[in-house]
Amino acid sequence: AYAAFFILVFGRLSVTMELARIASPAVRRRGSRCSAVVIITALVAALRMGVTFTVMPATAAGESSRRSAAFLATGFFTAAPGVARAEEATKTAESTQQYTVAETFTVNFPSGWPIVQKNKQGFFVQPDKKESSEILSAAGKVVRYKTLQEGNGDVKDLSVRTADKMSGGEGKVVGYKAITVAGIEAYEIEVKNSILHEKWLVSLVPKGNDFYFCNVVVRTTPERWDQRKEAFDQILASFAPMRA
C-alpha cells in the first residue's frame, strides 16, 4: 500500500510518498483531487524554487505579489526561537525515541508512533492508521547549494509557495520564522487548507565537504491539529544537527 521514492534532479530533492487505497472517506468526499490516492511530499528543495507537496514551477510575479499581500494578514511566529525551542524540547508528556536521519540529524518521536516506510534518506511515521492523512516525515539529502536562501529563497517566499501547492488544494500561511538551531540556520513554516494542517522545519546542515538539505514535517487534519499540536511542537523542537 505504501510506495516511496526519492528524486534528485539538478539539485532538486523530492521525497514523495503515495498512500494508495487508504484515503479516508472524509478525504474522498472532499473532491477528485483527494480521492483514492493522497500524495504527500515530504520535501522538495529546488534552486530558486521551494518546498511543496509537488514539484513546483516558479510562481508568476503577479501571483506571488497577490499571495504575499494576503500573507501579511496571517502574522509571524512571535516567540523567541531559542527560548521556545528549549521549552518545547524539555516537555515530557510521553516517552520518546530518538532517530538518526541520513546520518545528518537526530529527531525524537513518541515511542508508540510507528515508522511505516523508510530508506537511507528518511522515513515516514503514521501515529494512527485510522487517520490516513496524519503522516509525519523526516529526511535529508546532499544538495549543491550552500545556503537556504540560495536554494529555497527566504522563509516568507518559501512559506507562500508551500501553501500554494498543498496537497488537496491551495492553502494559506499560518505563520513562519527563520531560526537558528545549534548555530545552523533553519526555517519553520506552518500552512493549512481545508484538508491538511502542516508545520515544517527545514535546514541546511554542513557535514564534511557536503551540505544536506534536511526537514521534519508534521501534519494532520485541521480538526485534529489542536489535539496533536503539543506533540508536534516537541518533535520539531527535538531536531538536532550532527556535524562531523
Side-chain angles (χ1 to χ4, degrees):
Y2 295 99
F5 55 92
F6 296 76
I7 304 171
L8 179 62
V9 181
F10 301 110
R12 297 181 179 87
L13 174 64
S14 171
V15 181
T16 303
M17 170 174 276
E18 295 187 8
L19 296 167
R21 297 185 299 277
I22 63 169
S24 67
V27 172
R28 288 197 292 267
R29 286 197 296 269
R30 295 182 186 273
S32 59
R33 283 188 294 184
C34 294
S35 54
V37 179
V38 177
I39 300 178
I40 297 179
T41 303
L43 63 93
V44 176
L47 184 63
R48 298 180 182 273
M49 297 175 77
V51 178
T52 70
F53 277 101
T54 57
V55 176
M56 179 177 59
T59 305
E63 175 66 8
S64 180
S65 297
R66 178 184 67 80
R67 293 287 295 162
S68 294
F71 190 58
L72 297 176
T74 66
F76 294 75
F77 290 115
T78 57
V83 174
R85 286 185 58 83
E87 290 177 349
E88 290 298 337
T90 56
K91 290 180 180 178
T92 55
E94 57 182 304
S95 63
T96 61
Q97 182 171 346
Q98 185 177 88
Y99 298 93
T100 298
V101 183
E103 298 182 352
T104 305
F105 69 92
T106 60
V107 63
N108 299 341
F109 284 85
S111 300
W113 293 12
I115 291 177
V116 294
Q117 183 75 37
K118 67 178 179 179
N119 69 14
K120 65 180 181 180
Q121 294 171 327
F123 57 82
F124 296 88
V125 170
Q126 187 173 10
D128 185 347
K129 291 186 177 181
K130 295 179 181 178
E131 294 293 335
S132 60
S133 295
E134 192 167 275
I135 301 293
L136 291 62
S137 56
K141 180 69 178 184
V142 174
V143 292
R144 298 178 181 179
Y145 48 85
K146 297 181 179 181
T147 67
L148 283 177
Q149 176 75 35
E150 178 188 353
N152 300 280
D154 64 32
V155 64
K156 175 181 175 181
D157 290 339
L158 185 56
S159 299
V160 172
R161 293 196 302 271
T162 303
D164 281 346
K165 298 296 180 180
M166 288 185 70
S167 179
E170 182 178 316
K172 68 177 182 179
V173 177
V174 177
Y176 67 93
K177 64 181 175 183
I179 62 174
T180 300
V181 181
I184 297 175
E185 183 183 20
Y187 294 166
E188 281 193 359
I189 296 169
E190 186 174 348
V191 295
K192 70 177 181 179
N193 60 17
S194 62
I195 295 172
L196 292 171
H197 192 150
E198 309 175 347
K199 197 169 183 180
W200 298 62
L201 186 147
V202 301
S203 185
L204 196 66
V205 178
K207 186 175 181 182
N209 295 324
D210 295 320
F211 287 85
Y212 283 74
F213 181 82
C214 304
N215 81 87
V216 180
V217 186
V218 294
R219 58 172 64 84
T220 189
T221 61
E223 294 79 12
R224 288 172 60 86
W225 182 261
D226 288 344
Q227 174 186 341
R228 290 298 199 192
K229 184 179 185 304
E230 182 176 347
F232 284 174
D233 286 345
Q234 290 179 50
I235 291 167
L236 296 179
S238 73
F239 173 85
M242 299 166 58
R243 291 192 283 187

